[in-house]
Structure formats: structure tokens, C-alpha cells
Amino acid sequence: DQQVKQNSPSLSVQEGRISILNCDYTNSMFDYFLWYKKYPAEGPTFLISISSIKDKNEDGRFTVFLNKSAKHLSLHIVPSQPGDSAVYFCAAKENSGGSNYKLTFGKGTLLTVNP
Amino acid sequence: EPEVTQTPSHQVTQMGQEVILRCVPISNHLYFYWYRQILGQKVEFLVSFYNNEISEKSEIFDDQFSVERPDGSNFTLKIRSTKLEDSAMYFCASSGYRNTEAFFGQGTRLTVV
């Protein structure tokens, strides 16, 4: 049961252009969404997050958009740089009211930024 | 910059053997987690740990698994009797508060032969 889906296993863009990574979710109880970047042989690195009470969060070149009615979020990277080439994971946290921080991850999208 | 460190980076073990994966979370963090990623699959939650006890665990985290914070700095994952399907990257993570991002270690690649 894929509660978090990243339907594009890979994406290739030219340096300087916009990269748009998409993520869909099915669990209405998710209230916090995150994007992680992962290089080979390294752990996931936190990139940006958004609470379900917002529809946009921006941090430098990275912007995350959340459409709750469509249960869809996207990560925009502008302008894309070759160093952005990595696997990007969408992750979500359920509002369980507990003290834990269980994340449900998507399968990831491999972004390749060509010089 | 503070980081989560994991040892060893790669562990090879024979099926049926016990393994202990070690993690040093960021020092002032309160919440600790183990995740794993089987090759080609998504990162999966195993267990979360807060206030010296398990706060949540997944179906994967059966009786063969246990976690411990033995000395206030280390956080360990023990697999009592490894199976071939336990081969995966195991990631430790920690976070400071409930609604803040988790920081991940670089992972331990466990290979069960």
C-alpha cells in the first residue's frame, strides 16, 4: 500500500532550468510533508518541509507547493544546478498526536541536471 | 555542524548470527529512529524511541529486533538472528522536537550471506 507515491522514477533537466518533482499521497491524516535529497552512499539529507496548514514554502532555490484537495505536493528547484543531481524523496508524517516522528517515504525520483 | 554518525559503514554477517548496528545521534536531540532501505525499494520506518522507550514500531520490527540507548549517547539496533532478507541499508535518525525534521546518518549497509 503506497501511501506516498512518486510516479516518476527519474527526471532529467538542463542546468539553469526548472526542475519539478511531484508527489501524491493517499492518507488524509498526513499533516507534515518533507523533501529529502540523497546522494549515493549517504543518508537522506533534509531539504525543505511544509505543514498542511500552508500551501507554499520557499527556501532559496527550493519551493514546495501543497495542494491538499488533490493530495499532491511538488518541489520546484530554480535554477537547477548539476550539484542538485541526486535522488529526491518525498516523505509525510501522520498527525498521530504522539511523540514519534514516523515518516512514510515515497520511492524517490532520480534527478539528473545536465551541464 | 552536528551530525548523526553510524558504525560500521558496512557489515557482512552469516545468516543466523546476531548483529548490532550503532548510532550516535545529535547530542541534544530527544527522538531517535531506525529506518531501512532494501536495494531498489523505498526507505521504510522501523522504530522510534523517546524517553528511553519505544514509542512506535512497524510490522517489520518483530521480535528479532531490539533497540537500546545504553549510555545516553549511543543508540543501537540489534538483530538477534539475521535472515537473508534483512540485507539492506539501515539508517539511524534523530530529531530535536516532535515537529522538526529528522537528521539521518550515512547508513550501515548490512549484508547477510
Side-chain angles (χ1 to χ4, degrees), chain A residues 42-84:
Chain A
E42 293 186 12
T45 302
F46 169 75
L47 204 54
I48 193 169
S49 62
I50 188 166
S51 165
S52 60
I53 62 174
K54 295 186 176 182
D55 55 17
K56 177 182 175 182
N57 188 26
E58 190 172 352
D59 183 4
R61 295 185 298 115
F62 304 92
T63 303
V64 56
F65 295 92
L66 175 63
N67 182 334
K68 279 187 66 178
S69 60
K71 293 191 174 66
H72 177 84
L73 63 154
S74 61
L75 174 68
H76 292 209
I77 307 174
V78 182
S80 302
Q81 300 172 353
D84 296 329

Side-chain angles (χ1 to χ4, degrees), chain A residues 32-36 44-51 57 59 91 93 100-103 105, chain B residues 1-2 4 26 28-33 35 92-104:
Chain A
Y32 197 66
F33 303 90
L34 308 92
W35 284 94
Y36 281 84
T45 302
F46 169 75
L47 204 54
I48 193 169
S49 62
I50 188 166
S51 165
N57 188 26
D59 183 4
K93 182 182 79 68
N100 69 77
Y101 198 86
K102 171 188 172 184
L103 294 175
F105 281 83
Chain B
E1 184 175 321
V4 177
I26 294 173
N28 61 347
H29 280 185
L30 303 174
Y31 302 90
F32 313 109
Y33 317 89
Y35 287 80
C92 173
S94 69
S95 63
Y97 301 97
R98 183 163 73 92
N99 278 329
T100 58
E101 63 272 15
F103 290 83
F104 283 76

Side-chain angles (χ1 to χ4, degrees), chain A residues 13 15-16 18 26 33 45-46 53 57-58 64 68 71 85 92 95 104 110-111 113:
Chain A
V13 299
E15 180 178 6
I18 185 171
T26 57
F33 303 90
T45 302
F46 169 75
I53 62 174
N57 188 26
E58 190 172 352
V64 56
K68 279 187 66 178
K71 293 191 174 66
S85 297
N95 180 13
T104 302
L110 173 63
L111 173 66
V113 180

Side-chain angles (χ1 to χ4, degrees), chain A residues 1-4 31-32 34 36 38 41-46 49 89 93-108, chain B residues 6 31 33 35 37 40-45 48-50 55-58 89 91 95 97-107 109:
Chain A
D1 175 31
Q2 287 189 67
Q3 296 189 63
V4 177
D31 68 342
Y32 197 66
L34 308 92
Y36 281 84
K38 185 181 180 304
E42 293 186 12
T45 302
F46 169 75
S49 62
F89 291 99
K93 182 182 79 68
E94 186 174 322
N95 180 13
S96 64
S99 60
N100 69 77
Y101 198 86
K102 171 188 172 184
L103 294 175
T104 302
F105 281 83
K107 287 189 173 182
Chain B
Q6 292 184 241
Y31 302 90
Y33 317 89
Y35 287 80
Q37 185 181 27
Q41 299 187 23
K42 61 182 178 180
V43 177
E44 299 174 292
F45 169 80
S48 60
F49 191 87
Y50 169 72
S55 50
E56 186 169 357
K57 59 184 180 180
S58 71
M89 281 291 286
F91 295 106
S95 63
Y97 301 97
R98 183 163 73 92
N99 278 329
T100 58
E101 63 272 15
F103 290 83
F104 283 76
Q106 82 280 14
R109 178 171 297 284

Side-chain angles (χ1 to χ4, degrees), chain B residues 43-96:
Chain B
V43 177
E44 299 174 292
F45 169 80
L46 292 179
V47 65
S48 60
F49 191 87
Y50 169 72
N51 201 25
N52 286 318
E53 61 183 21
I54 291 173
S55 50
E56 186 169 357
K57 59 184 180 180
S58 71
E59 295 173 352
I60 304 166
F61 195 88
D62 61 22
D63 292 343
Q64 294 298 314
F65 292 87
S66 62
V67 289
E68 198 175 39
R69 189 159 158 79
D71 56 13
S73 62
N74 291 287
F75 180 51
T76 62
L77 174 69
K78 181 192 292 186
I79 309 175
R80 289 188 184 79
S81 178
T82 50
K83 303 186 284 269
L84 294 176
E85 54 265 37
D86 293 328
S87 296
M89 281 291 286
Y90 287 80
F91 295 106
C92 173
S94 69
S95 63

Side-chain angles (χ1 to χ4, degrees), chain A residues 5-11 21-22 108-110:
Chain A
K5 302 177 189 178
Q6 293 178 257
N7 292 319
S8 298
S10 63
L11 174 68
L21 298 135
N22 293 303
T109 296
L110 173 63

